[in-house]
């Protein structure tokens, strides 16, 4: 017998959870897309997005898209996060984390801050039973920042520390880039120069000692 994929596992979980949503009068849509992947726009809501649901309005086929973080492997926690996203799907993301969403989430056994819910002990026990019935969740935890490593012995003075191997195919993370900002040479300051970051430029351009708004230097 072949091992079911993680997406198949999630779809089976959704069907198993449908009756629970019916009990709280918050039925799920007939069709739902679900997969494993990182949420879009990380840090808009929290430093780590464990799950995400997209409104049917954002989908070409009018079906909600759900994503479960690849950082999660524990089956009960995966189901816990899945329920949170399914509540969004049942609500079609209309109420955010308030109103009907919060009412249904609590009725289903989610507790804590509504933007980052966790299952109650009672719900966790039920989810562990469901996970056993579904079988193994065919997934290996993905570590975006690299696998946790054991402390290494300090290199000897003559040794050069090895560079950590890359954990993804994208570009390397760059250090903070300092941007040159300069005042006009026609100003009384004579062309005052400072260096700052894009973060502070977006807040507001610096002003020279004579009160002139400075500009980014080419």
């Amino acid at each position: 017998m072949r091992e079911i994929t993680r997406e198949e596992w999630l779809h089976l979980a959704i069907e198993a959870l449908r009756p629970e949503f019916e009990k709280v009068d918050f039925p799920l849509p007939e069709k739902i897309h679900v997969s494993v992947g990182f949420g879009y726009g990380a840090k808009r809501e929290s430093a780590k997005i464990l799950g995400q649901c997209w409104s049917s309005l954002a989908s070409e086929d009018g079906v909600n898209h759900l994503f479960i973080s690849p950082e999660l492997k524990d089956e009960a926690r995966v189901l816990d996060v899945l329920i949170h996203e399914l509540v969004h799907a049942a609500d079609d993301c209309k109420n955010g984390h308030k109103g009907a969403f919060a009412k249904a989430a609590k009725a289903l056994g989610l507790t804590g801050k509504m933007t980052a819910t966790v299952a109650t002990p009672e719900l966790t026990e039920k989810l562990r039973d469901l996970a056993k019935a579904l079988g193994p969740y065919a997934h290996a935890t993905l570590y975006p920042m690299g696998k946790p490593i054991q402390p290494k012995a300090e290199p000897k003075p003559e040794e050069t520390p090895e560079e950590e191997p890359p954990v993804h195919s994208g570009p390397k993370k760059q250090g903070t880039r300092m941007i040159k900002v300069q005042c006009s040479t026609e100003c009384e300051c004579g062309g005052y120069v400072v260096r700052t970051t894009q973060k502070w430029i977006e807040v507001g351009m610096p002003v020279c000692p004579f009160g002139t708004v400075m500009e980014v230097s080419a």
Side-chain angles (χ1 to χ4, degrees):
M1 182 178 179
R2 75 174 181 86
E3 182 179 61
I4 63 173
T5 66
R6 57 193 183 184
E7 281 76 16
E8 289 175 322
W9 192 92
L10 290 168
H11 275 291
L12 289 172
I14 290 174
E15 295 310 309
L17 291 167
R18 278 187 184 279
E20 301 304 314
F21 281 77
E22 295 287 347
K23 290 178 184 178
V24 298
D25 295 320
F26 213 62
L28 292 173
E30 182 178 345
K31 188 175 182 181
I32 298 173
H33 296 309
V34 63
S35 189
V36 175
F38 289 112
Y40 173 80
K43 294 189 179 180
R44 287 186 180 183
E45 194 172 277
S46 61
K48 183 184 292 185
I49 295 178
L50 299 182
Q52 194 170 68
C53 173
W54 287 81
S55 163
S56 60
L57 297 176
S59 175
E60 182 181 20
D61 61 1
V63 177
N64 298 104
H65 286 244
L66 274 61
F67 294 93
I68 303 299
S69 171
E71 295 178 72
L72 299 179
K73 181 180 179 180
D74 180 81
E75 286 93 344
R77 183 59 172 145
V78 169
L79 292 172
D80 172 0
V81 173
L82 177 63
I83 290 177
H84 179 110
E85 302 313 323
L86 287 174
V87 178
H88 280 306
D91 186 49
D92 203 15
C93 302
K94 293 177 182 177
N95 289 282
H97 293 95
K98 301 177 181 179
F101 170 90
K103 181 179 179 181
K106 292 174 182 177
L108 287 161
L110 298 181
T111 187
K113 187 178 179 181
M114 285 295 105
T115 55
T117 59
V118 293
T120 61
E122 294 77 16
L123 177 59
T124 298
E125 187 176 346
K126 292 179 181 179
L127 295 181
R128 293 211 178 280
D129 289 339
L130 174 57
K132 290 179 182 178
L134 292 173
Y137 179 54
H139 176 70
T141 303
L142 181 65
Y143 299 97
M145 303 306 294
K147 290 182 180 179
I149 54 176
Q150 297 297 323
K152 296 180 180 178
E154 289 294 326
K156 296 179 181 179
E158 65 274 13
E159 294 180 347
T160 301
E162 294 183 3
E163 184 178 346
E164 292 292 339
V167 295
H168 58 77
S169 61
K172 291 183 178 180
K173 182 178 180 181
Q174 294 183 334
T176 302
R177 177 173 174 265
M178 300 303 290
I179 301 171
K180 181 180 178 182
V181 180
Q182 186 171 10
C183 191
S184 170
T185 54
E186 298 177 1
C187 177
E188 292 181 75
C189 71
Y192 194 77
V193 175
V194 298
R195 293 184 183 277
T196 185
T197 63
Q198 185 63 35
K199 172 184 176 182
W200 296 119
I201 288 176
E202 291 176 357
V203 173
M205 291 298 294
V207 177
C208 82
F210 287 86
T212 303
V213 177
M214 303 170 72
E215 297 181 353
V216 174
S217 177

